[in-house]
Every structure is written in C-alpha cells, then in structure tokens.
Amino acid sequence: MTSWLAAHRRACTGTLARLLRAPLASLFNIAVIGTALALPLGFYVILANLQELARDYSPQPQLSVFLAPEATAAEARALGERLKARSGVSASRFVPRAEALETLKSRTGLDDIIAGLPGNPLPDAWVITAAGADAATLDALRGEFQQWPKVAEVHVDSEWARRLDQLLALGRHAVLLLATALAFALVAVTFNTIRLQILTQRDEIEVAKLIGATDGWIRRPFLYFGAITGAAGGGAAWLMIWGVLALFNDRLQPLASLYGLPLRLTHLNGSDSITLLFFAAALGWFGAWLSVRRHLGTYNPS
Amino acid sequence: MSQIALSSVSKRYPGGHQALNGVSLAIEAGEMAFITGPSGAGKSTLLKLIAAIERPSAGSVVVNGQNVGTLRAQGIPFLRRNFGLVFQDHKLLFDRSVFDNVMLPLEITGFDRREGARRARAALDKVGLLHKEKARPITLSGGEQQRLCIARAIVHRPAILLADEPTGNLDAGYAADIGELFRDFNRVGVTVVLATHDMQLAARLQPRLIEIRSGRVHHD
Ligand SMILES: Nc1ncnc2c1ncn2[C@@H]1O[C@H](COP(=O)(O)OP(=O)(O)OP(=O)(O)O)[C@@H](O)[C@H]1O
Ligand SMILES: [Mg+2]
C-alpha cells in the first residue's frame, strides 16, 4: 500500500518535473485547453447570473380572468365565489370594466381616442394571485378557468418570466452542446499531446520494458500528465472568466448605481469550481488513456 | 531442475532466417557460462530467447520453472526482473544522466529512492564511473558506455546476469576488471551467462564454454 502510494507520488512529481522541463510548450498546451473550456464556462456563468436575476425579479404569479361581455353582475359575483373556492388561488380582486377604462386612460394618456369610442370596449375581470408560481401550475389554472362559463379569456400576467425561463432552458441546452463539443476538443488535444510524448520517449519506453517495467508503470506518468494538464486548463479557464467578470463588473458599476440596481455578475461558487477542475482532470485523463491504449502497444518488443 | 533449460529450441526470424536450429542446453543456478561462436551464429538470439525479448518458433525455454515462450504478457516484466541485461547495443537513455540511467531498474520496481541512490552509486563505483555520475551518456567513450550498461544491469542485484559482448569495446585492462566483477558476482551465487568473442577473458575465468555455429550447439 505504501509502495503503491509512493509510486503514484513519484509519477505525480515526475509529471510536474516534465511539465517544468518544457515550460513554454506546457503553457501553450494549458492555454489551449483553458480557452476551450472558458467558452462554455463563460456562457454557463452568464446563464446562472440571468437565472438569479429572473428569480429576484419574477412578479406575482397573477392571472387575469376576463368575463364574457354578456355576463351579468350576479354571474360575475358567482364566478368570483367559484374562483375563491378553488384551491391554489390565494387572492382575488374584481376589476369592473369602468375601473379598467379609467386605469387605461390615466396610464396611457389616450383620453381623446378613448373618448371617441362608442362605448367601453373592456370587459369585467377577476385578477387572481396563484399560490404556486411555476409555469405548469399557472398553465393548469388557465386551462381550467378557460373552460368555465361566461369566461372569455384568461391571461397569465407573468408570461414574460416564463418566456425568459424557456429562453434560459434553451441557453442551458446550448451550453451543454457547446461543452460537449469542447470536451471532445480537450480529449483530442490531450490525445495528440500524449501521442507526441510517446513518440519522443519511445527509447525510454522500450528500455523500461526490456528491463522489467509493467505496462501500468509505463502508462502512469502519461495518465498523470493528462489529468494534471486537464486540471491546469480548467484552472486557466476559471481565471480567464474571473478576469472577464472583474472587468465587466468594474464597467457595470456606474450603470448599476445609476439605476439603483444590484447588478453584479458572480463567478462559480466553491463547489462548482472544484467540480470544474475535477471534470477537466477527468477529460485529460481520458484523452491520455485513449492515447496510451492506442499508441503504447506499438512499442511492445516481443 | 536447471535454472535455465532450453530443449530443441529453434528460432526463425520473420524474414525467414533460421537463427537457431534445435538447441538444447541447461544452465544450473550459480553457474558461469560463455556462449561463443562466430558472428551471426545466434548468440544474441539465444540470450534474447532466455529474457523473453524474442519468442521461440519451436521448442521450449524454461527459466526458474516458468515456460518463457508461453508466458502471458503480464508475467513478462516480473520474469525480466530476475535478469541483469547487458545489451550488445547498450540501449542507454541519452536524455538522462549516467546516475539516472542506473536508477531506472530501481524506479521500475518502486525501490526506496534514498536506498536506491546509495546502490546506484555503489554500482557506478564498481565499474569505475562514479566520477561521471552527472555526465550524459553521449559524452562517454564506447568503453565507458559499456561499463554504464553493466552498472545498470547489476544495480538491482539480479539472480541471473545475461551479458551480450560486455567486453567488446574495452581495452585489456578494463576487460580484466570487468571479468573480475563477473567472477565476484558468480562467487556470491549469481548465474552469469555471457555471449562473447573474448577468448582471453575465457582463458582467465575458466567458465563453461558453449560454442554455437550456424544456430546449433557445436561444442559444450
Ligand atoms: N530481428 C532480426 N530479424 C531478422 N534476422 C535477425 C534478427 N536478429 C538477428 N537476425 C539474424 O539472425 C542471425 C543470428 O543473429 P545473432 O544476433 O543472434 O548473432 P550473433 O551470434 O549475436 O552475432 P554477433 O556475434 O555478430 O553479435 C544473424 O544472421 C542475423 O542476421
Ligand atoms: Mg550478437
């Protein structure tokens, strides 16, 4: 067990030594991997921030239930009772058509045009607040109310929040696709780097095999190299995004204080950052593993 | 049971050349044997078959009771650790120092580094190269490279030393020293098998002589 640990420690320090022996090449390699990872990471961070923003500013989950023009006052009252009795409705308010017209007038300043209309074109309405805010709940309520008698139309007032949600979901898919494509790139970069290393070290590999090295012993430093450059690339990506965010927040500050908005883009949290490093290390390891499997067999002396 | 036993071993290389043809011989533990014969007789091939660097086309090669020819790939590294190998073409690593070349067999077996460094220096001292431990092998003379190869072969204290022309590039003085080294090893129980043309060395050490001609044992 201790000798196993010692062997791994030695492979690890050996890999670091090898990285330092060719500092420029290592740096370029890490930069390439870092850039490949920084792209999806950046998008992810922006999406996460937007999502946070959307959560903070999402309005009351309100529905406007517009009555049919021919509905009487009694029918409107009955509908109100039925709405209040429905579970999932936490508050309701009646907006008579006259009040709606007044609001329209005062808000839009279209007095002249409205005065020119033959009558009040607006219907009576119940504005209700739903207990749940998620899109599915609101949709279900809307569908149900739509079926009720004397209801002309039901409108979900927080529709925009839902659109944003859908947009964000689309964005998450795009990030996932991008991340997958660039994960392939990372694996390919590592694969090729290891291939070149195996080529330049084939004497060493041959001699080591001749004097009794196991395949595991020969593979280990390459696998470590893949994992360590992968993790270093992940770290580089993290730093790049950190720099961009710092710059952006700096620029955003005057604008944000002007509108009194707490606009500040935040980076990945601690556990997500660790996950990123592990993920990058795993991809590098995988690329190295593929390369070693493919290329080391070629140098079997027997 | 003999430590090394070949029975009716033939080796035909992929090109079609018959390097060995029905060779049978047995070498006991602690023996010193010289394989002699003209160039191209098959001496190197014989050593390579024993170390599982080549596989026999026919017959069996048995080392320490293990059939080398049918050994699984995973078993080969552990078989090879029984041997100290001196290669005819040295096979030194030119991007490592002399010291690091000698450390390689110990690194492979996961030897403790401090104790390993002590052994590596002792091995270099035995072949008279301790003062060059930091040098690159490329800066060494042919004879020095040969001695470095010997140091690498003995550093892990193998049970069997297989040396292919270990004195080929050495002047008589060093050849005699290396000969003494092999004799010392043999005295502490190491089996020594040399492929050599060096009849002077043979005359001094009085080993068992196995002469090969055109792939057959001509005289034993
Ligand atoms: N890898 C190989 N492929 C094809 N033929 C080979 C190979 N290795 C050796 N041979 C041939 O096998 C024969 C025996 O070679 P080997 O190296 O065993 O001779 P040797 O006795 O060691 O000669 P020397 O004294 O010159 O080192 C030679 O004719 C050689 O050309
Ligand atoms: Mg030879």
Side-chain angles (χ1 to χ4, degrees):
Chain A
M1 186 66 197
T2 49
S3 81
W4 181 84
L5 269 182
H8 277 268
R9 205 182 47 228
R10 200 175 298 165
C12 198
T13 52
T15 304
L16 288 175
R18 195 183 306 168
L19 277 168
L20 291 176
R21 223 179 294 156
L24 204 65
S26 310
L27 220 60
F28 274 129
N29 215 6
I30 290 169
V32 166
I33 294 171
T35 316
L37 287 172
L39 219 57
L41 176 63
F43 276 115
Y44 176 81
V45 165
I46 289 170
L47 272 181
N49 275 284
L50 275 179
Q51 211 158 6
E52 196 70 14
L53 214 65
R55 194 160 44 237
D56 287 353
Y57 288 87
S58 73
Q60 291 282 340
Q62 281 190 338
L63 291 115
S64 299
V65 181
F66 297 106
L67 274 65
E70 75 277 8
T72 65
E75 280 168 338
R77 227 175 303 118
L79 185 69
E81 292 305 316
R82 203 175 162 190
L83 281 171
K84 271 175 214 155
R86 168 73 163 84
S87 67
V89 173
S90 62
S92 63
R93 187 168 63 87
F94 185 62
V95 182
R97 46 198 299 224
E99 185 189 323
L101 192 68
E102 283 308 312
T103 314
L104 192 65
K105 270 187 197 167
S106 63
R107 281 226 191 128
T108 57
L110 299 173
D111 304 31
D112 293 348
I113 297 170
I114 292 167
L117 292 172
N120 183 353
L122 299 176
D124 288 329
W126 280 95
V127 176
I128 67 141
T129 306
D134 60 297
T137 312
L138 295 178
D139 257 1
L141 286 177
R142 183 169 82 166
E144 186 183 333
F145 299 160
Q146 202 100 54
Q147 306 301 316
W148 289 5
K150 301 300 173 194
V151 171
E153 205 196 323
V154 183
H155 191 248
V156 180
D157 297 339
S158 51
E159 192 81 354
W160 69 270
R162 196 172 123 192
R163 294 244 170 79
L164 183 62
D165 242 21
Q166 282 169 345
L167 220 60
L168 287 177
L170 198 70
R172 275 195 296 275
H173 274 115
V175 167
L176 202 67
L177 280 178
L178 193 67
T180 311
L182 290 166
F184 269 114
L186 196 159
V187 169
V189 166
T190 318
F191 182 88
N192 208 40
T193 312
I194 298 294
R195 186 180 67 86
L196 290 175
Q197 280 192 2
I198 289 172
L199 272 179
T200 56
Q201 286 176 40
R202 75 207 226 198
D203 287 347
E204 194 165 339
I205 293 168
E206 191 209 332
V207 172
K209 275 194 171 180
L210 281 176
I211 63 182
T214 58
D215 282 354
W217 189 87
I218 288 168
R219 283 167 191 208
R220 204 175 296 137
F222 294 112
L223 297 180
Y224 268 94
F225 186 92
I228 287 174
T229 45
W238 193 94
L239 282 177
M240 284 181 215
I241 297 304
W242 179 82
V244 169
L245 289 182
L247 209 73
F248 194 72
N249 280 333
D250 211 38
R251 295 283 149 82
L252 211 60
Q253 216 42 56
L255 196 75
S257 55
L258 196 66
Y259 288 97
L261 287 172
L263 276 181
R264 248 197 105 67
L265 298 181
T266 55
H267 207 335
L268 290 186
N269 62 29
S271 67
D272 282 355
S273 302
I274 304 253
T275 308
L276 168 75
L277 291 188
F278 267 104
F279 183 65
L283 285 176
W285 185 91
F286 181 61
W289 181 79
L290 285 179
S291 194
V292 155
R293 241 174 66 110
R294 173 84 181 72
H295 302 296
L296 267 191
T298 332
Y299 300 114
N300 205 331
S302 17
Chain B
M1 191 176 46
S2 310
Q3 193 170 36
I4 301 170
L6 282 73
S7 56
S8 323
V9 171
S10 296
K11 175 66 187 178
R12 180 191 286 275
Y13 279 109
H17 186 89
Q18 189 80 26
L20 289 179
N21 202 344
V23 171
S24 295
L25 56 87
I27 296 171
E28 306 303 321
E31 220 180 329
M32 169 159 353
F34 278 24
I35 317 274
T36 63
S39 181
K43 305 183 291 295
S44 297
T45 303
L46 189 65
L47 293 187
K48 284 176 184 166
L49 287 173
I50 295 171
I53 295 169
E54 296 288 352
R55 285 181 190 269
S57 319
S60 72
V61 179
V62 177
V63 175
N64 289 334
Q66 272 184 311
N67 189 332
V68 174
T70 58
L71 203 60
R72 309 176 290 129
Q74 295 98 306
I76 288 176
F78 301 97
L79 170 82
R80 291 206 181 129
R81 290 176 191 181
N82 294 315
F83 301 117
L85 295 173
V86 178
F87 302 98
Q88 193 165 12
D89 55 352
H90 309 333
K91 295 199 189 297
L92 298 171
L93 295 175
F94 290 105
D95 61 344
R96 293 175 168 230
S97 68
V98 164
F99 175 78
D100 286 341
N101 265 277
V102 180
M103 280 297 281
L104 188 63
L106 300 176
E107 283 171 15
I108 283 168
T109 52
F111 211 80
D112 173 70
R113 230 190 131 70
R114 183 119 34 95
E115 170 67 8
R118 210 185 53 70
R119 278 207 192 176
R121 295 215 167 82
L124 281 172
D125 195 30
K126 274 204 179 116
V127 299
L129 278 181
L130 190 54
H131 63 293
K132 297 239 173 173
E133 63 167 308
K134 295 208 171 63
R136 296 270 151 176
I138 197 80
T139 65
L140 301 183
S141 71
E144 285 171 332
Q145 290 186 12
Q146 202 144 32
R147 284 184 275 144
L148 175 54
C149 194
I150 292 167
R152 185 182 64 190
I154 62 176
V155 70
H156 60 297
R157 299 181 186 163
I160 304 168
L161 195 65
L162 297 179
D164 202 347
E165 308 282 1
T167 57
N169 288 314
L170 299 180
D171 59 47
Y174 262 122
D177 286 353
I178 294 299
E180 286 309 309
L181 193 64
F182 287 145
R183 176 148 47 197
D184 289 346
F185 268 104
N186 186 236
R187 280 201 180 120
V188 297
V190 176
T191 310
V192 176
V193 182
L194 293 191
T196 188
H197 293 290
D198 192 342
M199 289 333 261
Q200 254 182 315
L201 192 67
R204 189 160 41 241
L205 297 182
Q206 296 291 314
R208 169 178 168 195
L209 286 176
I210 302 166
E211 191 186 345
I212 296 190
R213 276 176 195 274
S214 328
R216 294 173 192 277
V217 178
H218 181 73
H219 177 85
D220 190 349

